Structures are given as C-alpha cells and as structure tokens.
C-alpha cells in the first residue's frame, strides 16, 4: 500500500491567494480556505463579494452669473483588471475643468503599481473691493503627476514620482 503524496496546499499558499485577490481591488470581501482530502489532494474554496465597479453623476454649478455643467465617472476595471479610473469634466460660461486619475496595481501580474493624475482648469475669477466687483482675472492651470511604484503589501506601497504644474494668473492691477 502506497502512502498518498502530501499536498503543496498549505497556509502560506492560502495567504498568497487571499492577498492577491484582496490586492486586486476588485472585491469587497475575500475568503479563501482549503480542505485536505484523504488521497493527499486538497480542495481550495474561494468566496468573494464583488465591489460596485462603476459610478457616474452629474455636476451642476450656478452662482453670481456663473454656471457650469459636467459629469464625473469612475470605474474599477476600465482599461485593464484592477485599474481604478476617475474622469470628470465641467464646462460653462466662466469655468472649465478637466480631471483624470488612474491607479493601477499588480501590473504584469506582479507587485508593480502606477498612479497618474492630471487636472486642467480655466476660470474667470471675480475680484471685489468690499462688496463691489471691480474686475475679473483669468486663471489657467494644469498639473500632471506620475507615480510608478512597488506594492510591498496591501497597505504599503513605495512610489517615486514626477510632478509638473503650470499656473497663469492672467493680468490684473490688483493681483
């Protein structure tokens, strides 16, 4: 009579599976367990609860003769699995904004991560002397950030980033 070979399924493997599923960002909860069989094999049971994967909502702004309309959209797997994306835009008579952010984990099925965000804005800002509006100044700004990194654990990430920011306050005697 032969002795069944021992299964390679152990607590370490179960933890690795659990960590990778949690780190994917796709699931609200993860439960991984195993059951050893008499023949030396093991069954792995994975139970997950998915996260809400996307959202969208309108943006409306109106005050002091200024109005703008837009929308925001977020998704957990827009381009690739475990890539979180947020996109927002807004346009109106005195204000225009654009925002995009992306957070990618487990790139190339490994521990590499990448974050990117950009914001662009063009705004006509009123300038007051007391309660009297004296003029408006045009503000334009753009910023971009790129942060590649390494995901050590679910909670710890090391990133090295590059950021660029451009601001133009326009022409005004009071600013």
């Amino acid at each position: 009579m032969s002795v069944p070979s021992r299964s390679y399924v152990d607590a370490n493997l179960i933890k690795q599976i659990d960590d990778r599923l949690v780190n994917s960002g796709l699931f609200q909860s993860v439960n991984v367990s195993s059951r050893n069989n008499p023949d030396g094999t093991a069954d792995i049971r994975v139970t997950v609860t998915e996260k809400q994967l996307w959202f969208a909502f309108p943006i409306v702004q109106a005050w002091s003769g200024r109005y703008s309309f837009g929308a925001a959209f977020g998704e957990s797997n827009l381009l690739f699995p475990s890539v979180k994306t947020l996109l927002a835009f807004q346009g109106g008579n005195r204000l225009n904004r654009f925002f995009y952010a992306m957070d990618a984990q487990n790139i190339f099925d490994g521990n590499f991560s990448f974050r990117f965000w950009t914001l662009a804005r063009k705004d006509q800002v009123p300038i007051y002397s007391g309660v009297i509006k004296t003029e408006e100044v045009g503000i334009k700004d753009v910023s971009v950030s790129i942060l590649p990194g390494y995901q050590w654990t679910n909670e710890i990430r090391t990133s090295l980033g590059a950021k660029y920011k451009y601001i133009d306050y326009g022409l005004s005697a009071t600013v």
Side-chain angles (χ1 to χ4, degrees):
M1 179 171 144
S2 68
V3 176
S5 62
R6 197 165 160 90
S7 171
Y8 69 93
V9 175
D10 59 9
N12 187 38
L13 178 65
I14 297 300
K15 180 166 177 14
Q16 287 176 4
I17 293 169
D18 186 88
D19 286 348
R20 289 188 69 143
L21 289 171
V22 168
N23 201 24
S24 74
L26 299 174
F27 307 108
Q28 185 173 338
S29 66
V30 175
N31 183 17
V32 181
S33 60
S34 69
R35 186 182 74 202
N36 293 325
N37 297 320
D39 64 355
T41 62
D43 296 329
I44 298 175
R45 182 180 178 132
V46 178
T47 307
V48 296
T49 304
E50 288 186 276
K51 286 183 178 179
Q52 179 180 354
L53 297 178
W54 67 274
F55 65 87
F57 59 88
I59 300 171
V60 178
Q61 190 174 20
W63 55 280
S64 300
R66 300 162 56 94
Y67 59 85
S68 62
F69 305 92
F73 173 77
E75 219 274 339
S76 294
N77 298 304
L78 185 62
L79 303 173
F80 302 100
S82 73
V83 175
K84 298 169 194 81
T85 303
L86 175 64
L87 173 67
F89 59 91
Q90 185 176 5
N93 66 338
R94 302 249 194 291
L95 171 68
N96 297 296
R97 290 183 190 154
F98 171 81
F99 178 76
Y100 176 76
M102 178 187 75
D103 183 13
Q105 297 177 348
N106 302 323
I107 297 175
F108 306 119
D109 205 23
N111 290 350
F112 296 101
S113 64
F114 182 78
R115 286 184 176 169
F116 171 83
W117 64 86
T118 185
L119 169 68
R121 175 180 69 143
K122 181 179 176 188
D123 196 355
Q124 291 298 118
V125 178
I127 297 176
Y128 291 88
S129 176
V131 295
I132 300 170
K133 179 180 167 184
T134 58
E135 64 179 309
E136 281 190 351
V137 63
I139 296 177
K140 298 174 189 168
D141 64 48
V142 175
S143 62
V144 177
S145 296
I146 300 171
L147 294 140
Y150 188 82
Q151 191 81 30
W152 299 96
T153 69
N154 291 339
E155 295 82 25
I156 300 173
R157 178 189 298 188
T158 303
S159 297
L160 178 64
K163 297 180 181 184
Y164 169 79
K165 186 161 194 163
Y166 168 81
I167 302 172
D168 179 4
Y169 288 107
L171 299 175
S172 168
T174 58
V175 175

